[in-house]
Amino acid sequence: MNLDGVRVLDLSRLLPGPYATQLLAEMGAEVIRIERPGDMQAEPTLESINRGKRRVALNLKSEGGREAFLDLAATADVVLEQFRPGVVDRLGVDYDAVCEVNPGIVYCSLSGYGQTGPYSDRVGHDLNYIGLAGLLDMTRQSDDETPRVPGYQVADIGGGLFAALSIVGALLSRELGTGNRNGAGDRAGADNDATGEYIDVSLTDAAVSFSQAVAPRALAGGNPRPGETPLTGQFPWYDVYPAAEGYVTLAALEPHFWQAFCEAVDREEWIEYHMTSDPAELETLREALESLFETRTRDEWVAFFEGVDAAVGGVYTPAEMVEHPQISARGYVNGGPAVDEGQTPAPAVGFPARGTDIDHDGPTAVAEHGDDTESVLQEIGYEGNALEQLRASGAIPE
């Protein structure tokens, strides 16, 4: 899992695209974030997903800025953009324009609804996408409740993840298909016979893809309803229960987990009711479980079931999560090591996979807006006069 030598140009903002390129950066890719001069990240708390990226400020609406971007694209392996469909065409930095200077480019367009379909031009955010995808409807316990806004951005993160996966797949396909990927260190003069690829990723489609446990019933003509499917509250052995303090999760779907649970709480008479479809039995069992879990706190229940294969856990706040010993032991949720003595690194959630070929420390430094503009452009041949002309034209900041 080593993308050393892969150069990624990131034209995205906010969460989905930057999350995708952060994953690529943590796999070793060189990510160059292309920003509009003077344009800062809209949400400061999202700055952590720009760690380890080089930041170049270019005005793509200017001729000089567009030409500078295409010069950079000629040295790159990947371009990721997150504009509304048609914007990159108007800017002159679309897939065809980039292919003219780099036929081997992997070009990914990440958008809310995708590049096709009646919604392709609509604006939106995560809440809109999960509303269309059916996810928001399933966040409630029954039809009588208002759908609940999830605590995490599911479509944004899912779309970013699919974009990163698709990009890595396209890079591998290019490598296996030609064996002559544009090489690091000699990019400007690289062999241009490599075959690139265009990728269209929709945030809505990513959320729809998460419906694997629900959509088959809908495709077969059914109408899955919240609280009435096996994983949304239909069964009392897969649900969330209030404890004397906090909440507890019970997920004893398999018979052996349910048996272990019943034996641990000295309720062997419940074992036979696992997977019953009788409404009265289900209601009686749910009420009994509610009464049981109210007798201890969340932490007491978690300790009680330690060593018991009953699929019982606690519900934790984000503040509790980042300090939980299990999460800490995995080593990806922390502030990371300081880059310079005395520097306080920004807290961040790092690359979640563990492996022998993964840099578990990962990038930690977050550059300032446009910090690397001159150095990156100098690397591809822009010298004093050329840089001054770009400044004078407004293509790069003063």
Side-chain angles (χ1 to χ4, degrees):
M1 196 178 292
N2 191 331
L3 297 183
D4 287 0
V6 172
R7 172 173 283 182
V8 179
L9 303 186
D10 180 4
L11 288 167
S12 65
R13 296 177 66 249
L14 299 176
L15 182 58
Y19 177 68
T21 57
Q22 185 61 55
L23 293 174
L24 298 175
E26 289 170 331
M27 286 189 277
E30 176 197 15
V31 176
I32 300 175
R33 177 176 165 84
I34 308 298
E35 305 169 312
R36 291 176 291 190
D39 181 39
M40 305 301 288
Q41 180 67 273
E43 175 53 67
T45 60
L46 296 179
E47 274 295 294
S48 67
I49 57 175
N50 290 322
R51 59 191 183 279
K53 301 177 185 179
R54 306 177 76 183
R55 303 179 71 165
V56 172
L58 284 179
N59 180 5
L60 297 180
K61 293 182 178 180
S62 70
E63 183 65 22
R66 185 187 71 86
E67 291 180 358
F69 173 81
L70 292 176
D71 287 340
L72 271 174
T75 75
D77 297 281
V78 177
V79 170
L80 183 144
E81 63 93 2
Q82 194 185 308
F83 295 108
R84 292 173 67 182
V87 172
V88 290
D89 301 270
R90 294 193 293 273
L91 292 173
V93 295
D94 54 287
Y95 177 58
D96 290 338
V98 174
C99 275
E100 289 185 10
V101 299
N102 186 350
I105 199 72
V106 172
Y107 192 109
C108 179
S109 293
L110 180 61
S111 61
Y113 300 104
Q115 302 297 304
T116 59
Y119 276 27
S120 60
D121 287 331
R122 288 197 178 193
V123 298
H125 277 297
D126 188 88
L127 194 62
N128 306 117
Y129 311 141
I130 64 173
L132 175 58
L135 189 155
L136 199 59
D137 175 64
M138 300 299 285
T139 60
R140 46 191 172 164
Q141 292 184 322
S142 71
D143 285 329
D144 297 330
E145 292 185 353
T146 300
R148 304 178 183 185
V149 179
Y152 294 162
Q153 286 66 49
V154 179
D156 285 355
I157 293 296
L161 180 61
F162 273 89
L165 174 64
S166 300
I167 287 168
V168 171
L171 290 171
L172 178 60
S173 178
R174 188 179 70 178
E175 187 77 12
L176 294 175
T178 66
N180 59 0
R181 176 179 61 80
N182 291 350
D186 188 26
R187 297 178 181 278
D191 190 335
N192 276 334
D193 292 335
T195 302
E197 187 172 345
Y198 178 78
I199 303 167
D200 170 12
V201 177
S202 155
L203 303 181
T204 302
D205 294 348
V208 170
S209 180
F210 293 158
S211 69
Q212 302 296 330
V214 175
R217 184 182 297 183
L219 290 168
N223 185 28
R225 303 311 309 131
E228 298 177 9
T229 66
L231 302 181
T232 63
Q234 176 184 7
F235 297 130
W237 45 83
Y238 192 91
D239 213 336
V240 180
Y241 291 94
E245 180 181 319
Y247 294 86
V248 175
T249 57
L250 173 62
L253 282 176
E254 294 82 357
H256 57 281
F257 288 162
W258 177 243
Q259 180 173 339
F261 172 82
C262 295
E263 291 174 348
V265 298
D266 197 24
R267 296 292 192 276
E268 287 87 348
E269 68 273 17
W270 292 350
I271 295 175
E272 64 178 292
Y273 295 112
H274 192 250
M275 301 308 292
T276 180
S277 59
D278 183 276
E281 291 177 346
L282 289 172
E283 183 61 28
T284 298
L285 186 57
R286 188 181 300 279
E287 292 175 355
L289 286 167
E290 289 173 350
S291 297
L292 173 69
F293 281 116
E294 288 175 351
T295 62
R296 288 183 170 91
T297 68
R298 177 199 67 184
D299 292 344
E300 288 172 341
W301 279 119
V302 171
F304 178 86
F305 281 101
E306 185 173 353
V308 179
D309 289 341
V312 175
V315 175
Y316 299 92
T317 67
E320 292 174 317
M321 174 271 289
V322 297
E323 295 182 350
H324 193 282
Q326 173 59 32
I327 305 303
S328 297
R330 297 292 288 170
Y332 64 97
V333 177
N334 50 54
V339 178
D340 299 314
E341 185 176 353
Q343 179 182 357
T344 302
V349 177
F351 196 74
R354 309 286 87 186
T356 56
D357 193 28
I358 301 173
D359 182 0
H360 291 160
D361 289 334
T364 58
V366 179
E368 296 294 328
H369 175 80
D371 260 3
D372 303 293
T373 303
E374 289 193 16
S375 62
V376 170
L377 292 178
Q378 286 171 347
E379 290 172 8
I380 61 170
Y382 282 75
E383 299 298 340
N385 289 338
L387 290 174
E388 287 301 324
Q389 290 176 359
L390 289 177
R391 288 193 192 92
S393 68
I396 63 174
E398 293 289 339

